[in-house]
Amino acid sequence: MPRRQTQGQGRQYYYRTYRGPEVSCLTKYCLFGFNIIFWLVGAAFLGIGLWAWAEKGVLTNLPSITQLKGFDPVWLFLVVGAVMFVLGFTGCVGALRENTYLLKFFSTFLGLIFFLELTAGVLAFVFKNWIRDQLNLFINNNVKAYRDDIDLQNLIDFAQDYWQCCGAHGPGDWDQNIYFNCSNKNRSREKCGVPFSCCVNDPAEDVVNTQCGYDVRLQEELSQQTYIYTKGCVPQFEKWLQGNLIIVAGTFIGIALVQILGICLAQNMKFDFLHKNSLLTLILKWISGCLVQIHLQVNLMEGAVLTNFKHLNLPTHI
């Protein structure tokens, strides 16, 4: 307990006052530092997303958001950035200002995200076939919209080049795209072809040949293997997932532990704040203050009596 110093009648008195339970500074600033990183990263993601939309002219033509048939990767930056920004803001301000309402919102929101992630993981394990069908549908829809959005095009090119695949199940899936199908109505130069990201990389070429996939599907399948990848991205992704299962599982466990740590820190601080401002603590503080004042008055009166005895030259003890 802290000491209060009072001086009177030539004497100094020290009293211990009750201030109630203290909030751990380590917990407080750990939670603050934990969330300031989230806040800054979320702001960066939001900035990147808005910049990408500004470059594509979406911000000046908002109805175009609903016109894209495929998946716009910018949404990923915006949604993740917004969630991280809100969590970081409430966690930072709640810890710094000792605001229990913001800490409740932070821990509840983070707990909800953790629950949704856990539910999604369990459902993905139980309904493997349904997830595979939805992934096929997702890739095929984006194959159709390959030329509609530059960010989607770059995402598909990256996936096909990284996993060395072409289409959802093979090069034939590109027949669904109006620029690559082999129909008589198609007058595109890319007719019966595939994107350059399907092509087998040639180490001797320093410059990427963007026309390497032209007319390649007019050849027999055995001949196609010389120039392009013939395996689909869905089986290649499943193969990659099985080969990197420990890394993927470790990543998800690490994210889960960070979320649990944030929830525990927020709940611990919230209980400290509530205990600090509880009715019992306030009553104890009031009683402690009253006892200090009484003790002070008694000591002052004792000092005054002793001073009077000295002036009268009377003995101070009988």
Side-chain angles (χ1 to χ4, degrees), residues 69-70 137-148 152 156 173-174 176-179:
K69 298 179 181 179
L137 181 62
F138 175 78
I139 294 177
N140 287 330
N141 287 335
N142 287 288
V143 163
K144 296 176 183 178
Y146 177 74
R147 293 295 188 194
D148 295 350
L152 175 61
I156 294 175
D173 292 333
W174 284 99
Q176 302 176 68
N177 188 280
I178 60 174
Y179 299 100

Side-chain angles (χ1 to χ4, degrees), residues 53-54 56-67:
W53 268 4
K56 293 191 293 187
V58 175
L59 296 180
T60 56
N61 185 21
L62 292 179
S64 63
I65 297 175
T66 59
Q67 295 174 2

Side-chain angles (χ1 to χ4, degrees), residues 80-132:
V80 174
V83 171
M84 294 183 68
F85 185 85
V86 172
L87 279 175
F89 175 79
T90 54
C92 282
V93 178
L96 201 60
R97 302 296 299 173
E98 301 184 359
N99 190 307
T100 56
Y101 295 104
L102 289 178
L103 289 176
K104 286 180 183 178
F105 176 83
F106 171 80
S107 58
T108 303
F109 196 11
L110 196 57
L112 178 62
I113 293 174
F114 177 75
F115 176 75
L116 291 176
E117 291 172 349
L118 185 62
T119 304
V122 173
L123 292 177
F125 180 78
V126 174
F127 301 101
K128 294 180 181 178
N129 294 330
W130 182 83
I131 293 296
R132 186 181 295 108

Side-chain angles (χ1 to χ4, degrees), residues 24-36:
S24 172
C25 290
L26 178 63
T27 303
K28 179 176 181 178
Y29 290 107
C30 278
L31 184 62
F32 175 78
F34 172 83
N35 282 284
I36 197 69

Side-chain angles (χ1 to χ4, degrees), residues 229-248:
Y229 304 118
T230 55
K231 295 180 180 179
C233 289
V234 173
Q236 285 294 94
F237 173 72
E238 292 176 347
K239 181 181 178 181
W240 174 87
L241 197 60
Q242 292 174 359
N244 298 272
L245 189 59
I246 296 178
I247 298 176
V248 174

Side-chain angles (χ1 to χ4, degrees), residues 288-299:
S288 176
C290 291
L291 292 175
V292 167
Q293 292 297 326
I294 293 172
H295 198 185
L296 175 62
Q297 294 299 325
V298 170
N299 285 328

